[in-house]
Each structure stands twice: as structure tokens, then as C-alpha cells.
Amino acid sequence: MKRLLLIAMLLCGTDTLVGAAQTGVSGPQVKPEDSPLVKAAKASGGPKKKSTKKVITNKDVKTSKGKITTLPPKTAAAVNVEPAKGLLEKQSDQRKADAVSAVRISAAEKKVSDLEKELRRLEDAYYDESVPNYRDSAIEKRFNQTKQQLEDARKELTDAREAQTKPRGKPQS
């Protein structure tokens, strides 16, 4: 066995081990220095102990002697609560409302201008008509009716403008 060991050492080229193998006495062994990983493992205190706490399972809960209360199901009114709107949703709603308001105002302005034109046309037709009976019966009725429609359209236009300029609630900061 010593020969086998001697041959292996000669092949490896180690001189100190050859001398130790020839004498049969092993010299003072120098421990190689530990790597940083080994040092960290030794400093941590070795393997961790398993937890002694018990894991609670459903079976443990069912067999416990503690008082368990169950809550009644929520009512339909509480379930159908609308979630709070975010800032983007509020802004989107506000833009839609502004667009609807602008369309309403433009429609009211167009209606007022059309009725004013119709009123001017009827007034001109009243003075151009030479038959007093037709002028007083037919044209005057249409004139009064158009005048009433114009007043209503102007009131509608004023309401639409007030609704657009009305404050929208609390200013956000």
C-alpha cells in the first residue's frame, strides 16, 4: 500500500508528501484557509431549527371549543352600491356634460335665429298684403304665434347658457 501511495505521489509531483510517505509518519498538517462562503456558514450558527409552532388547519378550527359567529348575508341594497368614481371618470363625465351643453346651446341659437328670420318675413308679408281682412286674420295670427315661439326659444337659450356657466361643485386641488 505504501508503494501504491508513493507511486501516486510521484505522479502528482508533491515532494512533501513523498517524504511523509517514505517515513510513514505524517507531518504537521496545515489546514487550508476557509473560503468566505464557508466562513459565513459557520458564523450563521449552523442549520436552522424547525419551528415549534403548530400550523392551524380547518379541522382544528372546527374542533375548537371557542365561540364561532357567522354573519348574516348582506342585503341587496348594500351589494348594489355604485363604486366611487375616479378622477378620470369624473373628468370624462364632465366633458360629456360640456359637449351636451354646447350642442343644446347651438341648437337653441339656431332655433332663435330661424324664428327671428320667420318673424321678419311675416312682418314684411303683413305690410305687403293689400287685403286687410287676410292680413288681420291669417298673417297676424301666424305673427303672434311666431313671436311667442321666439320668446320661448330665447328663454330656452338663456337657460342653456346659465346651465353651462353654473359652478360645477367643489374645485379640486
Side-chain angles (χ1 to χ4, degrees):
M1 175 116 175
K2 285 185 181 181
R3 282 187 196 165
L4 193 60
L5 185 62
L6 184 59
I7 293 171
M9 287 183 203
L10 286 174
L11 291 175
C12 291
T14 55
D15 297 336
T16 56
L17 291 177
V18 171
Q22 288 175 351
T23 58
V25 177
S26 62
Q29 298 278 335
V30 179
K31 287 186 177 181
E33 204 156 314
D34 292 338
S35 69
L37 185 62
V38 173
K39 286 180 184 177
K42 288 181 180 177
S44 71
K48 298 289 181 190
K49 294 181 181 178
K50 290 188 177 181
S51 176
T52 58
K53 294 181 181 178
K54 183 178 188 238
V55 178
I56 298 174
T57 62
N58 286 341
K59 182 180 177 184
D60 296 332
V61 172
K62 289 178 183 175
T63 59
S64 71
K65 297 190 184 198
K67 184 176 181 181
I68 298 175
T69 58
T70 57
L71 298 175
K74 293 183 179 181
T75 61
V79 173
N80 293 333
V81 174
E82 187 175 314
K85 291 184 176 181
L87 290 177
L88 291 177
E89 292 170 335
K90 288 179 183 178
Q91 183 182 20
S92 175
D93 291 346
Q94 187 60 44
R95 285 187 178 175
K96 288 178 184 176
D98 288 346
V100 168
S101 177
V103 168
R104 183 177 169 205
I105 288 173
S106 66
E109 287 174 345
K110 185 178 183 321
K111 185 175 180 182
V112 167
S113 68
D114 289 346
L115 287 171
E116 285 174 345
K117 289 176 186 175
E118 178 68 17
L119 194 62
R120 273 188 243 119
R121 189 190 65 75
L122 287 173
E123 187 176 3
D124 290 342
Y126 180 82
Y127 290 116
D128 289 342
E129 185 62 43
S130 61
V131 179
N133 195 21
Y134 177 73
R135 179 177 60 191
D136 292 337
S137 63
I139 296 177
E140 190 174 345
K141 283 183 184 178
R142 284 192 291 179
F143 181 80
N144 290 335
Q145 181 184 9
T146 306
K147 192 173 182 182
Q148 182 62 38
Q149 288 177 345
L150 179 61
E151 289 175 12
D152 292 342
R154 285 183 176 157
K155 184 177 183 305
E156 183 181 329
L157 177 61
T158 305
D159 292 343
R161 286 183 177 157
E162 287 176 1
Q164 186 181 28
T165 59
K166 187 171 68 171
R168 297 180 180 120
K170 295 180 182 178
Q172 295 184 7
S173 54

